[in-house]
Amino acid sequence: MDKLRNYDVSFSGLKNGRHEFKFEIDKTFFQLFDTEQEFTNPRIEVNVSLDKHTTFLEFEIKINGWVELVCDITNENFDYPIENEIKILVNFGEEYDDSNEDVITIPTAEHAFNVAHLIYENVMLSIPMKKISPNVSDDDLKILDQFSPKDIDVTEEEEHESDPRWDALRKLKDNN
């Protein structure tokens, strides 16, 4: 967790109320995670609002920026906008627990909350499954769809081929 220390939001010593934090995210941030990304050249700004209360913390994390994707159709690079907002409630308890997606519990002795994993997850979830460049026209998509393989329907004969012993049992079941 030391390598993600720069993304700690320290709340100890802060007065109750709203506090703002800003992070600039680029490729070095994603290199801290040992996973392969489907994008390059991230240019993302993260605004973290902390609303500190006596017994809990409210985080609002807004992610805005661009990443470079490779088009699935043309194989050309294009910029894709990333925009996401999440709200997380942080409670204090015995041990760390993030089993609830909207509420995270951290140990009472903690003095900071690390937002790196939340930022990472939300950027990754903002990447579309189909990466289609805005330069691909609707006509190109129609042509592609026209020549794409279609689902082949299974004929009823193939569905009903079964063992005759099971057919006899089905007849008994149907009679009851």
Side-chain angles (χ1 to χ4, degrees):
M1 195 67 139
D2 286 336
K3 61 185 179 178
L4 301 174
R5 186 179 52 226
N6 292 337
Y7 303 95
D8 281 348
V9 173
S10 181
F11 54 81
S12 67
L14 293 178
K15 294 181 181 179
N16 286 355
R18 199 163 187 85
H19 305 278
E20 302 289 329
F21 301 88
K22 226 176 216 184
F23 300 98
E24 296 291 327
I25 304 297
D26 58 11
K27 65 180 179 180
T28 57
F29 172 78
F30 292 99
Q31 290 170 349
L32 297 174
F33 297 88
D34 295 328
T35 58
E36 191 173 313
Q37 286 78 39
E38 298 180 17
F39 56 85
T40 57
N41 197 19
R43 304 165 311 278
I44 301 171
E45 184 177 287
V46 179
N47 293 307
V48 178
S49 295
L50 164 62
D51 199 358
K52 183 179 179 188
H53 301 272
T54 307
T55 57
F56 64 94
L57 308 169
E58 287 180 274
F59 283 92
E60 185 176 325
I61 302 171
K62 293 182 181 178
I63 299 168
N64 283 305
W66 298 88
V67 294
E68 197 171 280
L69 298 177
V70 176
C71 179
D72 292 338
I73 297 171
T74 63
N75 216 22
E76 69 179 21
N77 291 348
F78 68 98
D79 282 339
Y80 183 80
I82 297 290
E83 190 172 335
N84 200 339
E85 180 178 335
I86 57 166
K87 294 181 180 183
I88 297 289
L89 189 70
V90 177
N91 283 330
F92 298 99
E94 295 292 317
E95 58 187 32
Y96 184 86
D97 179 19
D98 63 353
S99 59
N100 185 337
E101 70 180 56
D102 295 327
V103 180
I104 296 175
T105 303
I106 61 173
T108 309
E110 289 290 323
H111 65 282
F113 180 70
N114 191 286
V115 295
H117 286 283
L118 294 173
I119 294 169
Y120 177 81
E121 288 172 7
N122 282 284
V123 168
M124 297 306 279
L125 290 173
S126 296
I127 304 299
M129 292 295 289
K130 286 185 175 181
K131 298 162 205 62
I132 300 175
S133 169
N135 298 334
V136 175
S137 70
D138 290 337
D139 293 337
D140 293 338
L141 292 174
K142 285 178 187 174
I143 291 170
L144 186 66
D145 187 49
Q146 180 182 353
F147 292 104
S148 295
K150 306 292 185 249
D151 291 336
I152 300 171
D153 293 332
V154 177
T155 63
E156 287 188 30
E157 289 178 23
E158 292 175 1
E159 285 183 16
H160 291 293
E161 280 186 33
S162 63
D163 190 332
R165 293 172 289 182
W166 289 112
D167 291 338
L169 288 173
R170 275 193 203 94
K171 286 179 188 175
L172 288 174
K173 178 181 164 190
D174 291 340
N175 290 337
N176 291 334

